[in-house]
Amino acid sequence: MTEPTYLRDTRDGYDKISAGYDERFPTMAVDGALGRALLTAYAEGIREAGGGPVVEVGCGTGRVTAFLDSLGVAVRGIDLSPEMLARARKNHPGLRFDEGTMTALDLPDGSLAGLVAWYSVIHVPPADHPGVFAEFHRVLAPGAPLLLAFQVGDEPLRFEEAFGHRVSLDFHRLSPDRVAEALRTAGFTVHARLVRGPERAERVPQAYLLAHRE
Ligand SMILES: C[S@@+](CC[C@H](N)C(=O)[O-])C[C@H]1O[C@@H](n2cnc3c(N)ncnc32)[C@H](O)[C@@H]1O
């Protein structure tokens, strides 16, 4: 099947900016306390439910995967960009990182105890979210939690240049209501959502959604 242009552009873009991204966002310490708190609560929920395999989809350089690992979660990362993955493997040699796309995950049905997509569904056009959420639903076990983080807004932000490189990267700012509706349609129960105002250099509010596969 022909690959959609947006996947090729996203992969090429992140391949080019991997060094700059890694330098700008080395660990979760540069994120807000609320984001870290949600990941911590998520990890606690996974442990309380008895553990099991968790995947961070769109793991980039691996900082979220490593944060979840430090909280006792059996987590591995999947990403589209070989260069981001190369940095993830170098930064976190004890963890597993695989190449793949959230639009067609190479994972068995019902095999995951949890899935985190931390600022990665923003690179999939909203028209394709139903397919991605159906894929998340397919790979998660019944009752397993899905945690999403994304920027809030109506218009995509397009970057033609980033970290000194020419890129073609779209950041789809999203409506929490529309994402929640798409999750429900895909067979999730939306359990919690948080929208916070911009912090540090952020330009728009940020949203976090926790849902469970029905
Ligand atoms: C903004 S970065 C976030 C990385 C990491 N979650 C973090 O917070 O540091 C977005 C990542 O999503 C990945 N990505 C974008 N589209 C993807 C797709 N369809 N499948 C898998 N990964 C994807 C990109 O390659 C990039 O590494």
Side-chain angles (χ1 to χ4, degrees):
M1 206 174 79
T2 316
E3 182 176 70
T5 312
Y6 72 84
L7 286 183
R8 193 192 61 216
D9 287 345
T10 304
R11 182 189 299 108
D12 290 350
Y14 274 98
D15 275 350
K16 287 180 182 160
I17 69 169
S18 61
Y21 188 96
D22 206 7
E23 199 173 318
R24 175 85 56 90
F25 306 104
T27 68
M28 287 307 290
V30 299
D31 281 49
L34 277 173
R36 285 195 303 279
L38 283 173
L39 284 165
T40 304
Y42 182 82
E44 195 170 325
I46 294 283
R47 287 197 312 269
E48 279 175 1
V54 172
V55 163
E56 192 211 348
V57 172
C59 61
T61 55
R63 68 202 184 102
V64 178
T65 313
F67 187 68
L68 289 169
D69 172 70
S70 76
L71 297 168
V73 176
V75 63
R76 65 183 170 112
I78 292 176
D79 201 277
L80 196 57
S81 156
E83 293 298 328
M84 293 292 270
L85 286 166
R87 288 187 174 269
R89 292 180 187 122
K90 183 160 176 280
N91 293 345
H92 311 290
L95 298 181
R96 176 175 170 184
F97 297 99
D98 297 306
E99 194 173 329
T101 173
M102 69 179 83
T103 52
L105 290 165
D106 187 13
L107 293 168
D109 295 1
S111 57
L112 297 183
L115 191 151
V116 174
W118 199 256
Y119 295 101
S120 55
V121 297
I122 57 168
H123 294 298
V124 173
D128 283 7
H129 283 172
V132 166
F133 296 158
E135 193 60 351
F136 291 173
H137 186 273
R138 180 185 70 75
V139 299
L140 282 165
L146 166 70
L147 181 62
L148 302 181
F150 54 88
Q151 293 94 346
V152 176
D154 296 320
E155 296 295 323
L157 181 66
R158 185 173 184 78
F159 279 108
E160 305 282 355
E161 192 276 341
F163 295 107
H165 296 278
R166 283 196 64 76
V167 296
S168 179
L169 271 178
D170 285 325
F171 290 70
H172 296 279
R173 292 165 170 170
L174 305 171
S175 146
D177 284 343
R178 280 197 285 274
V179 172
E181 191 49 41
L183 287 172
R184 282 187 205 105
T185 303
F188 287 90
T189 302
V190 177
H191 181 63
R193 66 163 113 177
L194 171 70
V195 178
R196 66 159 173 81
E199 295 175 357
R200 302 167 307 279
E202 294 166 353
R203 305 179 202 190
V204 293
Q206 314 285 305
Y208 308 91
L209 266 173
L210 176 65
H212 291 98
R213 183 220 196 270
E214 286 164 6

